[in-house]
Amino acid sequence: MKAKLFFIHGFNTTSLNWRQVIKTCEPSIEVHFHDWDSGYFPENAFLRTNLNMVQCVFGHTPEIIQSLWDAEDRIDTETDMLVSKINDLCAENELVMLVAHSMGTKIMRQAIDRIAIERPDIIIHFMAIAGVENSVNFGCFDTKVQSGVNVFNPQDNIVEWYEYTEYSDAPIGRYGITHEENIINVRVNIEHSGYKESNYFIKLFNSWIEQIVSNPKFSGF
């Protein structure tokens, strides 16, 4: 029985650009991509790829702000869909890895809470990448997850933009996750959308996968 990894992408994008990176860990695990309705439209390429420039030059455009709130409104529904998928695909005492980027960390955090209640038999490991979820909401996971890794950059301008719009207070992608012994913060110097092209991150990710697969009770990194 293979361990299972579920990847959740962020706001205004899809998992397409992440697939090559995430699938490098196959065939040791079974990979599932949770492609959710995050406000992505091909014609919005300017807004999608130039959030930092929009922030610096134009401020908070109505289009981006509205798209952000629309995506936020779908998080509960998307969490339901992800948890249902996990319940359907995972056998008893399954080893599950949850990996999320940016706004996807909000779905991941809620999913962890749900799994802890509905499927306490599942062994959970997670990796948050440039997360916009509030660091406080990632607290008290010591009884719910075997281990967690939070990859963050204090200089991440896109995560800062989310914080500046009051969408997320003290996001884990800039401040880390504190007061949890089984959650490790890895500080990097990688741009918000640059993780999938970063050799350092790819090596880090593959090392994380290998250690968990070889030792499901692994709790450090």
Side-chain angles (χ1 to χ4, degrees), residues 39-88:
Y40 172 79
F41 295 98
E43 60 268 26
N44 286 348
F46 174 81
L47 299 180
R48 187 176 69 255
T49 59
N50 294 281
L51 274 176
N52 192 30
M53 186 181 73
V54 169
Q55 173 205 349
C56 296
V57 179
F58 300 107
H60 308 133
T61 68
E63 293 84 359
I64 292 179
I65 295 298
Q66 185 59 55
S67 185
L68 188 70
W69 297 135
D70 289 346
E72 166 76 4
D73 288 342
R74 287 189 286 271
I75 286 176
D76 289 346
T77 299
E78 295 295 339
T79 300
D80 289 342
M81 294 172 64
L82 175 60
V83 172
S84 177
K85 186 184 302 182
I86 291 171
N87 278 324
D88 289 344

Short mmCIF file of all heavy atoms in Angstrom, two decimals, residues 39-88:
data_model
loop_
_atom_site.label_atom_id
_atom_site.label_comp_id
_atom_site.label_asym_id
_atom_site.label_seq_id
_atom_site.Cartn_x
_atom_site.Cartn_y
_atom_site.Cartn_z
N GLY A 39 -10.06 31.13 -8.68
CA GLY A 39 -10.16 32.38 -9.41
C GLY A 39 -9.27 32.44 -10.62
O GLY A 39 -9.02 33.51 -11.15
N TYR A 40 -8.79 31.29 -11.07
CA TYR A 40 -7.87 31.27 -12.21
C TYR A 40 -8.62 31.38 -13.53
O TYR A 40 -9.57 30.65 -13.80
CB TYR A 40 -7.07 29.96 -12.22
CG TYR A 40 -6.24 29.77 -13.47
CD1 TYR A 40 -5.04 30.44 -13.62
CD2 TYR A 40 -6.67 28.92 -14.48
CE1 TYR A 40 -4.27 30.28 -14.76
CE2 TYR A 40 -5.92 28.76 -15.63
CZ TYR A 40 -4.72 29.44 -15.76
OH TYR A 40 -3.97 29.27 -16.88
N PHE A 41 -8.18 32.32 -14.36
CA PHE A 41 -8.65 32.43 -15.74
C PHE A 41 -7.44 32.76 -16.61
O PHE A 41 -6.67 33.67 -16.28
CB PHE A 41 -9.70 33.54 -15.88
CG PHE A 41 -10.96 33.27 -15.13
CD1 PHE A 41 -11.17 33.83 -13.87
CD2 PHE A 41 -11.94 32.45 -15.66
CE1 PHE A 41 -12.32 33.58 -13.17
CE2 PHE A 41 -13.11 32.18 -14.96
CZ PHE A 41 -13.30 32.76 -13.71
N PRO A 42 -7.24 32.07 -17.73
CA PRO A 42 -6.08 32.34 -18.59
C PRO A 42 -5.98 33.80 -19.00
O PRO A 42 -4.89 34.36 -19.10
CB PRO A 42 -6.33 31.43 -19.79
CG PRO A 42 -7.16 30.32 -19.26
CD PRO A 42 -8.05 30.95 -18.22
N GLU A 43 -7.13 34.47 -19.20
CA GLU A 43 -7.07 35.85 -19.65
C GLU A 43 -6.61 36.80 -18.54
O GLU A 43 -6.31 37.95 -18.79
CB GLU A 43 -8.43 36.31 -20.19
CG GLU A 43 -9.57 36.25 -19.18
CD GLU A 43 -10.31 34.92 -19.22
OE1 GLU A 43 -9.70 33.93 -19.63
OE2 GLU A 43 -11.49 34.90 -18.85
N ASN A 44 -6.56 36.29 -17.28
CA ASN A 44 -6.09 37.12 -16.18
C ASN A 44 -4.60 36.93 -15.92
O ASN A 44 -4.13 37.12 -14.81
CB ASN A 44 -6.86 36.77 -14.89
CG ASN A 44 -8.27 37.32 -14.92
OD1 ASN A 44 -8.60 38.12 -15.77
ND2 ASN A 44 -9.10 36.87 -14.00
N ALA A 45 -3.87 36.57 -16.98
CA ALA A 45 -2.44 36.28 -16.81
C ALA A 45 -1.70 37.48 -16.23
O ALA A 45 -0.78 37.32 -15.42
CB ALA A 45 -1.82 35.87 -18.15
N PHE A 46 -2.08 38.68 -16.63
CA PHE A 46 -1.39 39.86 -16.11
C PHE A 46 -1.55 39.95 -14.60
O PHE A 46 -0.58 40.13 -13.86
CB PHE A 46 -1.94 41.13 -16.75
CG PHE A 46 -1.38 42.39 -16.14
CD1 PHE A 46 -0.13 42.86 -16.53
CD2 PHE A 46 -2.08 43.09 -15.19
CE1 PHE A 46 0.40 44.01 -15.96
CE2 PHE A 46 -1.54 44.23 -14.62
CZ PHE A 46 -0.31 44.69 -15.01
N LEU A 47 -2.77 39.78 -14.13
CA LEU A 47 -3.01 39.87 -12.69
C LEU A 47 -2.35 38.70 -11.96
O LEU A 47 -1.82 38.86 -10.86
CB LEU A 47 -4.51 39.87 -12.40
CG LEU A 47 -5.31 41.03 -12.99
CD1 LEU A 47 -6.78 40.89 -12.60
CD2 LEU A 47 -4.79 42.36 -12.49
N ARG A 48 -2.37 37.54 -12.61
CA ARG A 48 -1.86 36.34 -11.94
C ARG A 48 -0.35 36.38 -11.77
O ARG A 48 0.18 35.98 -10.74
CB ARG A 48 -2.25 35.11 -12.77
CG ARG A 48 -1.92 33.79 -12.08
CD ARG A 48 -2.41 32.62 -12.90
NE ARG A 48 -1.69 32.44 -14.13
CZ ARG A 48 -2.15 32.76 -15.32
NH1 ARG A 48 -3.34 33.29 -15.46
NH2 ARG A 48 -1.41 32.57 -16.41
N THR A 49 0.36 36.88 -12.77
CA THR A 49 1.83 36.79 -12.74
C THR A 49 2.50 38.07 -12.28
O THR A 49 3.70 38.11 -12.11
CB THR A 49 2.37 36.43 -14.14
OG1 THR A 49 1.97 37.44 -15.06
CG2 THR A 49 1.86 35.08 -14.59
N ASN A 50 1.70 39.12 -12.08
CA ASN A 50 2.31 40.40 -11.73
C ASN A 50 1.70 41.01 -10.48
O ASN A 50 1.58 42.24 -10.36
CB ASN A 50 2.16 41.38 -12.90
CG ASN A 50 2.96 40.95 -14.12
OD1 ASN A 50 4.16 41.14 -14.17
ND2 ASN A 50 2.28 40.35 -15.07
N LEU A 51 1.33 40.17 -9.52
CA LEU A 51 0.75 40.68 -8.29
C LEU A 51 1.69 41.66 -7.59
O LEU A 51 1.26 42.68 -7.06
CB LEU A 51 0.42 39.52 -7.34
CG LEU A 51 -0.93 38.84 -7.53
CD1 LEU A 51 -1.04 37.67 -6.58
CD2 LEU A 51 -2.07 39.81 -7.29
N ASN A 52 2.97 41.35 -7.61
CA ASN A 52 3.92 42.21 -6.91
C ASN A 52 3.99 43.59 -7.57
O ASN A 52 4.00 44.61 -6.88
CB ASN A 52 5.31 41.57 -6.91
CG ASN A 52 6.26 42.28 -5.96
OD1 ASN A 52 5.84 42.83 -4.96
ND2 ASN A 52 7.54 42.25 -6.28
N MET A 53 4.01 43.62 -8.90
CA MET A 53 4.06 44.89 -9.60
C MET A 53 2.77 45.66 -9.40
O MET A 53 2.78 46.89 -9.20
CB MET A 53 4.30 44.68 -11.10
CG MET A 53 4.51 45.99 -11.86
SD MET A 53 4.76 45.73 -13.62
CE MET A 53 3.10 45.29 -14.12
N VAL A 54 1.64 44.95 -9.41
CA VAL A 54 0.35 45.60 -9.20
C VAL A 54 0.33 46.25 -7.82
O VAL A 54 -0.14 47.38 -7.65
CB VAL A 54 -0.80 44.58 -9.34
CG1 VAL A 54 -2.11 45.18 -8.86
CG2 VAL A 54 -0.93 44.14 -10.79
N GLN A 55 0.87 45.53 -6.83
CA GLN A 55 0.92 46.07 -5.47
C GLN A 55 1.73 47.36 -5.44
O GLN A 55 1.32 48.36 -4.86
CB GLN A 55 1.55 45.06 -4.52
CG GLN A 55 1.78 45.62 -3.11
CD GLN A 55 2.89 44.88 -2.39
OE1 GLN A 55 3.33 43.84 -2.84
NE2 GLN A 55 3.33 45.43 -1.29
N CYS A 56 2.91 47.34 -6.05
CA CYS A 56 3.83 48.46 -5.96
C CYS A 56 3.37 49.67 -6.76
O CYS A 56 3.56 50.81 -6.36
CB CYS A 56 5.22 48.04 -6.42
SG CYS A 56 5.99 46.78 -5.37
N VAL A 57 2.78 49.42 -7.94
CA VAL A 57 2.49 50.51 -8.85
C VAL A 57 1.04 50.97 -8.75
O VAL A 57 0.76 52.17 -8.69
CB VAL A 57 2.80 50.09 -10.30
CG1 VAL A 57 2.47 51.22 -11.27
CG2 VAL A 57 4.26 49.68 -10.43
N PHE A 58 0.12 50.01 -8.70
CA PHE A 58 -1.29 50.37 -8.78
C PHE A 58 -2.03 50.27 -7.45
O PHE A 58 -3.18 50.69 -7.36
CB PHE A 58 -2.00 49.45 -9.80
CG PHE A 58 -1.42 49.56 -11.18
CD1 PHE A 58 -0.65 48.53 -11.70
CD2 PHE A 58 -1.64 50.68 -11.96
CE1 PHE A 58 -0.11 48.62 -12.97
CE2 PHE A 58 -1.10 50.77 -13.22
CZ PHE A 58 -0.34 49.75 -13.74
N GLY A 59 -1.40 49.68 -6.45
CA GLY A 59 -2.13 49.45 -5.21
C GLY A 59 -3.03 48.25 -5.35
O GLY A 59 -2.85 47.39 -6.21
N HIS A 60 -4.07 48.18 -4.53
CA HIS A 60 -4.96 47.02 -4.50
C HIS A 60 -6.09 47.23 -5.50
O HIS A 60 -7.07 47.93 -5.22
CB HIS A 60 -5.51 46.81 -3.09
CG HIS A 60 -4.43 46.77 -2.06
ND1 HIS A 60 -4.50 47.48 -0.90
CD2 HIS A 60 -3.24 46.12 -2.04
CE1 HIS A 60 -3.40 47.28 -0.19
NE2 HIS A 60 -2.63 46.46 -0.86
N THR A 61 -5.96 46.62 -6.68
CA THR A 61 -6.98 46.80 -7.70
C THR A 61 -8.27 46.10 -7.29
O THR A 61 -8.24 45.04 -6.66
CB THR A 61 -6.51 46.23 -9.05
OG1 THR A 61 -6.43 44.82 -8.95
CG2 THR A 61 -5.17 46.81 -9.44
N PRO A 62 -9.42 46.64 -7.66
CA PRO A 62 -10.70 46.02 -7.31
C PRO A 62 -10.82 44.59 -7.84
O PRO A 62 -11.41 43.73 -7.19
CB PRO A 62 -11.74 46.93 -7.98
CG PRO A 62 -11.05 48.26 -8.08
CD PRO A 62 -9.59 47.94 -8.34
N GLU A 63 -10.24 44.34 -9.04
CA GLU A 63 -10.33 43.01 -9.62
C GLU A 63 -9.64 41.96 -8.75
O GLU A 63 -10.16 40.87 -8.52
CB GLU A 63 -9.72 43.00 -11.02
CG GLU A 63 -10.48 43.81 -12.05
CD GLU A 63 -10.11 45.29 -12.02
OE1 GLU A 63 -9.27 45.68 -11.19
OE2 GLU A 63 -10.66 46.04 -12.83
N ILE A 64 -8.43 42.30 -8.28
CA ILE A 64 -7.69 41.36 -7.46
C ILE A 64 -8.38 41.14 -6.12
O ILE A 64 -8.53 40.02 -5.66
CB ILE A 64 -6.24 41.84 -7.24
CG1 ILE A 64 -5.47 41.78 -8.55
CG2 ILE A 64 -5.54 40.99 -6.19
CD1 ILE A 64 -4.04 42.26 -8.44
N ILE A 65 -8.80 42.23 -5.49
CA ILE A 65 -9.44 42.13 -4.18
C ILE A 65 -10.71 41.29 -4.27
O ILE A 65 -10.95 40.39 -3.45
CB ILE A 65 -9.76 43.52 -3.62
CG1 ILE A 65 -8.47 44.30 -3.36
CG2 ILE A 65 -10.58 43.40 -2.34
CD1 ILE A 65 -7.55 43.67 -2.35
N GLN A 66 -11.54 41.53 -5.28
CA GLN A 66 -12.77 40.76 -5.43
C GLN A 66 -12.47 39.29 -5.69
O GLN A 66 -13.12 38.41 -5.12
CB GLN A 66 -13.62 41.32 -6.57
CG GLN A 66 -14.99 40.66 -6.71
CD GLN A 66 -15.82 40.79 -5.45
OE1 GLN A 66 -16.05 41.89 -4.95
NE2 GLN A 66 -16.28 39.66 -4.90
N SER A 67 -11.48 39.02 -6.54
CA SER A 67 -11.11 37.64 -6.83
C SER A 67 -10.59 36.95 -5.57
O SER A 67 -10.86 35.77 -5.33
CB SER A 67 -10.04 37.61 -7.92
OG SER A 67 -9.73 36.30 -8.31
N LEU A 68 -9.87 37.70 -4.74
CA LEU A 68 -9.35 37.16 -3.49
C LEU A 68 -10.48 36.76 -2.56
O LEU A 68 -10.49 35.65 -2.01
CB LEU A 68 -8.46 38.21 -2.82
CG LEU A 68 -7.67 37.79 -1.59
CD1 LEU A 68 -6.55 36.84 -1.97
CD2 LEU A 68 -7.09 39.02 -0.89
N TRP A 69 -11.45 37.63 -2.38
CA TRP A 69 -12.58 37.31 -1.49
C TRP A 69 -13.41 36.16 -2.06
O TRP A 69 -13.92 35.33 -1.29
CB TRP A 69 -13.45 38.54 -1.28
CG TRP A 69 -12.78 39.71 -0.61
CD1 TRP A 69 -12.85 41.02 -0.99
CD2 TRP A 69 -11.92 39.69 0.54
NE1 TRP A 69 -12.09 41.80 -0.15
CE2 TRP A 69 -11.52 41.01 0.80
CE3 TRP A 69 -11.46 38.67 1.38
CZ2 TRP A 69 -10.67 41.35 1.85
CZ3 TRP A 69 -10.60 39.00 2.43
CH2 TRP A 69 -10.23 40.33 2.65
N ASP A 70 -13.58 36.13 -3.37
CA ASP A 70 -14.34 35.03 -3.98
C ASP A 70 -13.67 33.69 -3.70
O ASP A 70 -14.34 32.69 -3.38
CB ASP A 70 -14.47 35.24 -5.49
CG ASP A 70 -15.40 36.39 -5.84
OD1 ASP A 70 -16.16 36.84 -4.96
OD2 ASP A 70 -15.37 36.84 -7.01
N ALA A 71 -12.34 33.66 -3.83
CA ALA A 71 -11.61 32.42 -3.54
C ALA A 71 -11.72 32.06 -2.07
O ALA A 71 -11.89 30.89 -1.71
CB ALA A 71 -10.14 32.58 -3.94
N GLU A 72 -11.62 33.06 -1.20
CA GLU A 72 -11.77 32.84 0.24
C GLU A 72 -13.12 32.21 0.56
O GLU A 72 -13.22 31.30 1.39
CB GLU A 72 -11.61 34.16 0.98
CG GLU A 72 -12.05 34.16 2.43
CD GLU A 72 -11.08 33.49 3.38
OE1 GLU A 72 -10.00 33.08 2.92
OE2 GLU A 72 -11.40 33.37 4.56
N ASP A 73 -14.17 32.67 -0.10
CA ASP A 73 -15.52 32.15 0.14
C ASP A 73 -15.65 30.68 -0.24
O ASP A 73 -16.57 29.99 0.22
CB ASP A 73 -16.55 32.96 -0.64
CG ASP A 73 -16.77 34.35 -0.05
OD1 ASP A 73 -16.40 34.56 1.13
OD2 ASP A 73 -17.30 35.23 -0.77
N ARG A 74 -14.74 30.19 -1.09
CA ARG A 74 -14.83 28.80 -1.54
C ARG A 74 -13.99 27.83 -0.69
O ARG A 74 -14.02 26.62 -0.92
CB ARG A 74 -14.40 28.70 -3.01
CG ARG A 74 -15.42 29.28 -3.97
CD ARG A 74 -15.05 28.96 -5.42
NE ARG A 74 -13.95 29.77 -5.88
CZ ARG A 74 -14.05 30.97 -6.44
NH1 ARG A 74 -15.24 31.52 -6.60
NH2 ARG A 74 -12.98 31.62 -6.84
N ILE A 75 -13.25 28.35 0.26
CA ILE A 75 -12.32 27.51 1.02
C ILE A 75 -13.04 26.41 1.80
O ILE A 75 -12.60 25.26 1.80
CB ILE A 75 -11.42 28.37 1.93
CG1 ILE A 75 -10.38 29.09 1.07
CG2 ILE A 75 -10.74 27.52 3.01
CD1 ILE A 75 -9.48 30.04 1.83
N ASP A 76 -14.15 26.74 2.44
CA ASP A 76 -14.88 25.72 3.19
C ASP A 76 -15.37 24.60 2.28
O ASP A 76 -15.26 23.41 2.61
CB ASP A 76 -16.07 26.33 3.94
CG ASP A 76 -15.64 27.20 5.11
OD1 ASP A 76 -14.46 27.12 5.51
OD2 ASP A 76 -16.50 27.96 5.62
N THR A 77 -15.93 24.98 1.14
CA THR A 77 -16.42 23.98 0.18
C THR A 77 -15.27 23.12 -0.35
O THR A 77 -15.40 21.90 -0.47
CB THR A 77 -17.12 24.68 -1.00
OG1 THR A 77 -18.24 25.41 -0.51
CG2 THR A 77 -17.59 23.66 -2.03
N GLU A 78 -14.16 23.77 -0.66
CA GLU A 78 -13.01 23.02 -1.17
C GLU A 78 -12.43 22.09 -0.10
O GLU A 78 -11.96 21.00 -0.41
CB GLU A 78 -11.94 23.98 -1.67
CG GLU A 78 -12.34 24.81 -2.87
CD GLU A 78 -12.60 23.97 -4.12
OE1 GLU A 78 -12.09 22.84 -4.18
OE2 GLU A 78 -13.29 24.47 -5.02
N THR A 79 -12.47 22.52 1.15
CA THR A 79 -12.04 21.65 2.25
C THR A 79 -12.91 20.41 2.32
O THR A 79 -12.42 19.28 2.48
CB THR A 79 -12.07 22.40 3.59
OG1 THR A 79 -11.20 23.53 3.53
CG2 THR A 79 -11.63 21.49 4.73
N ASP A 80 -14.22 20.60 2.20
CA ASP A 80 -15.15 19.46 2.19
C ASP A 80 -14.78 18.47 1.09
O ASP A 80 -14.76 17.25 1.30
CB ASP A 80 -16.59 19.93 1.97
CG ASP A 80 -17.17 20.67 3.17
OD1 ASP A 80 -16.62 20.51 4.28
OD2 ASP A 80 -18.16 21.39 2.99
N MET A 81 -14.48 19.00 -0.09
CA MET A 81 -14.16 18.15 -1.23
C MET A 81 -12.85 17.41 -1.00
O MET A 81 -12.74 16.20 -1.30
CB MET A 81 -14.08 18.99 -2.50
CG MET A 81 -15.41 19.60 -2.91
SD MET A 81 -15.27 20.77 -4.29
CE MET A 81 -14.72 19.67 -5.59
N LEU A 82 -11.85 18.09 -0.46
CA LEU A 82 -10.57 17.45 -0.21
C LEU A 82 -10.69 16.35 0.85
O LEU A 82 -10.16 15.25 0.67
CB LEU A 82 -9.53 18.49 0.23
CG LEU A 82 -8.16 17.95 0.64
CD1 LEU A 82 -7.50 17.20 -0.51
CD2 LEU A 82 -7.26 19.08 1.13
N VAL A 83 -11.38 16.65 1.94
CA VAL A 83 -11.53 15.66 3.02
C VAL A 83 -12.30 14.45 2.52
O VAL A 83 -11.98 13.30 2.85
CB VAL A 83 -12.22 16.29 4.24
CG1 VAL A 83 -12.56 15.22 5.28
CG2 VAL A 83 -11.32 17.36 4.87
N SER A 84 -13.32 14.69 1.70
CA SER A 84 -14.08 13.58 1.13
C SER A 84 -13.19 12.71 0.26
O SER A 84 -13.26 11.47 0.30
CB SER A 84 -15.25 14.13 0.30
OG SER A 84 -15.97 13.09 -0.32
N LYS A 85 -12.32 13.34 -0.52
CA LYS A 85 -11.39 12.61 -1.37
C LYS A 85 -10.43 11.76 -0.52
O LYS A 85 -10.16 10.60 -0.83
CB LYS A 85 -10.61 13.60 -2.23
CG LYS A 85 -9.70 12.96 -3.27
CD LYS A 85 -8.89 14.03 -4.01
CE LYS A 85 -9.76 15.05 -4.68
NZ LYS A 85 -8.95 16.06 -5.43
N ILE A 86 -9.93 12.36 0.55
CA ILE A 86 -9.01 11.64 1.43
C ILE A 86 -9.71 10.46 2.09
O ILE A 86 -9.15 9.35 2.16
CB ILE A 86 -8.43 12.60 2.49
CG1 ILE A 86 -7.50 13.62 1.83
CG2 ILE A 86 -7.69 11.83 3.59
CD1 ILE A 86 -7.04 14.74 2.73
N ASN A 87 -10.93 10.66 2.55
CA ASN A 87 -11.68 9.56 3.16
C ASN A 87 -11.92 8.42 2.18
O ASN A 87 -11.84 7.24 2.54
CB ASN A 87 -13.02 10.08 3.69
CG ASN A 87 -12.92 10.73 5.05
OD1 ASN A 87 -12.13 10.29 5.90
ND2 ASN A 87 -13.69 11.77 5.28
N ASP A 88 -12.21 8.77 0.93
CA ASP A 88 -12.50 7.75 -0.09
C ASP A 88 -11.24 6.98 -0.49
O ASP A 88 -11.31 5.77 -0.75
CB ASP A 88 -13.10 8.40 -1.34
CG ASP A 88 -14.52 8.90 -1.11
OD1 ASP A 88 -15.15 8.48 -0.11
OD2 ASP A 88 -14.99 9.72 -1.92
#
